[in-house]
């Protein structure tokens, strides 16, 4: 089998060869442990689903601490270009080098590659301990805008010359009332970036037959940023998906609350209210599309509702390429101990296989994970919460998942 790159066709669909070359970044801290387990599980799933007909040719990228040690660079332009050229990549968590001139390698990767949608599915795996009474009702997917909002990095510290200049302008020219000594941060939210994010969330809902897309915003207070996000979200639904979507307003006015077959309902909720609703009535929410900061908060809160960060996968997707990654950080105190839970990265791998159209392999992973956890074979984080569970190492957990795949096959 000849190794080849995945390519993207003009219509945005992927052309995936039987032996695609997929770049990976092992990650820092516990990254090497969870990556080793994940790679074993992904390879096992591809084998279980397709035998010798398909295989992944992994290509390591030296990024983060390993990159710095071996090449003197934390994140090279060459590594970014390789990801772009190969269309699909996967990464472990990376340490943010403090005081070394880089804000965050993770944020840099997302911004440089214009990976504008941070996608985080949240679904319960039985019997993972959860603070919810009925965690099985949680089946949501957050589409978080990744490139703007207060994450754009336009900030000026209190007392700096830049800050004084901005404050003076706002006071003098705009009549703004700003307290003495305040620091300033700017929150840009644009129509084009909102619309491409919301369009990708609606496309996902349509392709997967999901009932609704909720625009989560704080537009009652921040009218021209979060409020505009809401308006532009509804606009793009009308402009691009008029035949496949209805608003919640139309649902009640025209259809008496009964959603017609094949239509995705577009609704909106104010951010603070949605935090209540996902606790009280989680089954009323499916896809959530939201600006950057709200998305950061709600995806971690939802992850906690289904058992914590060790269980939460993620993907960063743009028009040219996609990078799949665990939601959690490097958990440095456990580095090299072969201890932490690799499920977040394993599930990110399952998302990657789905994105490539290798659905059978992705299903093999999800089924085997469910069987393994249900049998009480779990890493320390879950073992400490499940009575009678058998605590295993990170690598042993990976092996157990693969062996459960073989049994299923
Ligand atoms: P963290 O690495 O996510 O770890 C915080 C705690 O979460 C751990 O001590 C552990 O809790 C739990 N945890 C995390 N991953 C786990 C896993 N796989 N299995 C089980 N439990 C897990 O957060 P942090 O300590 O704030 O951040 C450390 C570094 O990671 C920083 O340099 C940060 O910048 C970076 N970071 C990277 C990313 C990324 O690459 N996308 C994301 C976030 C943070 P217990 O101690 O209770 O067991």
């Amino acid at each position: 089998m000849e190794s080849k790159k995945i390519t993207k066709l003009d219509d945005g669909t992927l052309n995936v060869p039987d032996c695609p070359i997929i770049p990976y970044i092992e990650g820092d801290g516990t990254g090497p442990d969870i990556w080793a387990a994940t790679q074993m599980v992904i390879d096992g799933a591809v084998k279980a689903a397709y035998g010798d007909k398909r295989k992944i040719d992994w290509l390591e990228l030296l990024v983060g601490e390993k990159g710095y040690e071996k090449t003197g660079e934390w994140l090279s332009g060459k590594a970014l270009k390789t990801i772009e050229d190969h269309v699909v990549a996967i990464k472990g968590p990376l340490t943010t080098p403090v005081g070394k001139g880089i804000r965050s390698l993770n944020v840099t990767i997302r911004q440089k590659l214009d990976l504008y949608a941070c996608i985080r599915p949240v679904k319960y795996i039985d019997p993972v301990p959860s603070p919810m009474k009925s965690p099985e009702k949680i089946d949501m997917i957050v589409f978080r805008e990744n490139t703007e909002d207060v994450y754009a990095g336009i900030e000026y510290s209190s007392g700096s010359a830049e800050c004084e200049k901005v404050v003076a302008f706002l006071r003098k020219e705009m009549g703004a009332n700003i307290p003495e000594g305040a620091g300033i941060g700017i929150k840009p939210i644009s129509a084009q970036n909102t619309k491409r994010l919301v369009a990708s969330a609606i496309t996902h809902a349509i392709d997967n037959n999901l009932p609704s897309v909720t625009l989560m915003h704080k537009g009652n207070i921040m009218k021209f940023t979060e409020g505009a996000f809401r308006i532009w979200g509804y606009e793009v639904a009308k402009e691009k998906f008029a035949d496949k979507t209805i608003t919640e307003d139309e649902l009640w006015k025209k259809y008496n609350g009964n959603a017609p077959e094949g239509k995705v309902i577009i609704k909106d909720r104010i951010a603070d209210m949605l935090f209540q609703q996902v606790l009280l009535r989680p089954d009323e929410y499916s896809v959530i599309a939201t600006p950057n900061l709200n998305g950061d908060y709600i995806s971690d809160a939802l992850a906690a509702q289904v058992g914590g960060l060790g269980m939460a996968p993620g993907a960063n997707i743009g028009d040219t390429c996609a990078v799949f990654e665990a939601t959690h950080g490097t958990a440095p105190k456990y580095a090299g101990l072969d201890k932490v839970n690799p499920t977040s990265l394993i599930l990110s791998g399952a998302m990657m296989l789905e994105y490539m159209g290798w659905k059978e392999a992705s299903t093999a992973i999800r089924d085997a994970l469910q069987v393994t956890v249900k049998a009480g074979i779990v890493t320390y984080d879950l073992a400490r919460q499940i009575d009678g569970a058998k605590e295993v190492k990170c690598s042993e957990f990976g092996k157990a998942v693969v062996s459960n795949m073989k049994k299923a096959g």
Side-chain angles (χ1 to χ4, degrees):
M1 235 186 307
E2 195 191 341
S3 303
K4 287 187 190 155
K5 287 180 189 169
I6 295 175
T7 51
K8 215 163 198 187
L9 305 176
D10 289 343
D11 65 359
T13 55
L14 297 189
N15 181 17
V16 181
D18 286 336
C19 185
I21 305 166
I22 300 191
Y24 70 93
I25 298 166
E26 195 178 64
D28 300 326
T30 49
D33 285 348
I34 59 172
W35 170 249
T38 299
Q39 191 177 11
M40 175 166 55
V41 169
I42 296 175
D43 286 342
V46 171
K47 181 118 187 140
Y50 311 116
D52 293 331
K53 293 202 182 84
R54 285 179 177 171
K55 188 177 178 302
I56 292 174
D57 184 3
W58 298 106
L59 171 66
E60 180 166 17
L61 299 180
L62 298 176
V63 173
E65 284 166 359
K66 202 169 177 182
Y68 190 68
E69 259 164 44
K70 298 205 170 166
T71 68
E73 284 190 273
W74 294 97
L75 171 64
S76 64
K78 191 174 158 211
L80 288 170
K81 180 88 178 64
T82 306
I83 295 175
E84 201 162 29
D85 283 350
H86 289 77
V87 181
V88 169
I90 184 164
K91 67 176 273 293
L94 290 168
T95 306
T96 298
V98 179
K100 301 248 174 37
I102 296 180
R103 280 170 77 92
S104 153
L105 295 179
N106 307 296
V107 174
T108 308
I109 291 173
R110 291 171 201 159
Q111 290 186 344
K112 293 260 182 210
L113 296 173
D114 198 22
L115 304 172
Y116 59 82
C118 176
I119 303 175
R120 292 184 173 169
V122 197
K123 193 169 170 20
Y124 180 63
I125 298 181
D126 182 44
V128 172
S130 155
M132 299 287 289
K133 275 193 192 146
S134 308
E136 68 288 346
K137 288 187 179 165
I138 300 167
D139 187 359
M140 289 176 228
I141 177 160
V142 178
F143 279 66
R144 163 188 173 195
E145 207 289 329
N146 238 351
T147 64
E148 53 182 20
D149 197 352
V150 285
Y151 283 67
I154 313 169
E155 295 192 287
Y156 306 105
S157 67
S158 160
S160 67
E162 294 95 332
C163 189
E164 306 263 291
K165 211 168 169 178
V166 175
V167 169
F169 169 79
L170 290 172
R171 282 189 186 134
K172 188 158 170 258
E173 306 286 332
M174 319 298 280
N177 182 10
I178 300 171
E180 270 319 305
I184 292 285
I186 307 244
K187 179 181 175 79
I189 290 199
S190 67
Q192 67 274 23
N193 289 341
T194 297
K195 286 188 177 184
R196 66 181 182 170
L197 183 270
V198 175
S200 66
I202 297 175
T203 303
H204 180 84
I206 293 168
D207 290 350
N208 294 281
N209 225 356
L210 297 173
S212 66
V213 174
T214 302
L215 306 168
M216 174 194 187
H217 62 91
K218 189 70 187 163
N220 53 333
I221 304 296
M222 292 169 274
K223 297 185 193 310
F224 307 124
T225 50
E226 303 249 342
F229 179 92
R230 171 184 171 276
I231 293 169
W232 292 323
Y234 280 116
E235 268 177 23
V236 77
K238 278 272 164 291
E239 286 160 7
K240 284 196 163 174
F241 308 97
D243 55 334
K244 302 232 167 78
T245 58
I246 54 167
T247 62
E248 198 175 35
D249 229 26
E250 289 166 334
L251 173 72
W252 289 102
K253 282 191 186 137
K254 290 193 195 161
Y255 302 98
N256 204 21
N258 300 311
E261 189 72 14
K263 299 269 190 193
V264 175
I265 300 160
I266 310 295
K267 49 189 176 184
D268 76 278
R269 295 289 183 273
I270 289 177
D272 38 337
M273 214 276 280
L274 189 61
F275 272 97
Q276 277 192 39
Q277 297 261 301
V278 295
L279 288 168
L280 300 173
R281 293 168 12 208
D283 42 350
E284 290 180 17
Y285 297 93
S286 173
V287 179
I288 296 173
T290 189
N292 212 334
L293 183 60
N294 295 337
D296 198 3
Y297 293 155
I298 192 92
S299 48
D300 273 27
L302 286 172
Q305 289 179 222
V306 296
L309 285 180
M311 308 298 294
N316 298 291
I317 299 186
D319 288 333
T320 50
C321 58
V323 177
F324 294 79
E325 68 171 344
T327 305
H328 58 75
T330 57
K333 68 180 174 188
Y334 299 117
L337 299 183
D338 192 14
K339 185 174 171 81
V340 296
N341 189 350
T343 303
S344 173
L345 195 55
I346 291 175
L347 283 171
S348 306
M351 283 178 82
M352 181 186 83
L353 292 166
E354 254 155 44
Y355 184 74
M356 290 160 54
W358 291 16
K359 291 215 162 70
E360 298 79 3
S362 163
T363 305
I365 292 183
R366 292 183 195 286
D367 290 351
L369 259 178
Q370 175 71 74
V371 171
T372 310
V373 175
K374 187 104 188 161
I377 299 178
V378 289
T379 44
Y380 84 99
D381 51 321
L382 300 184
R384 65 190 171 186
Q385 301 176 69
I386 303 176
D387 282 342
K390 180 177 179 220
E391 180 180 331
V392 293
K393 293 180 173 188
C394 174
S395 57
E396 290 167 344
F397 182 78
K399 280 183 201 146
V401 174
V402 174
S403 81
N404 283 328
M405 245 171 239
K406 284 185 192 137
K407 275 182 213 154

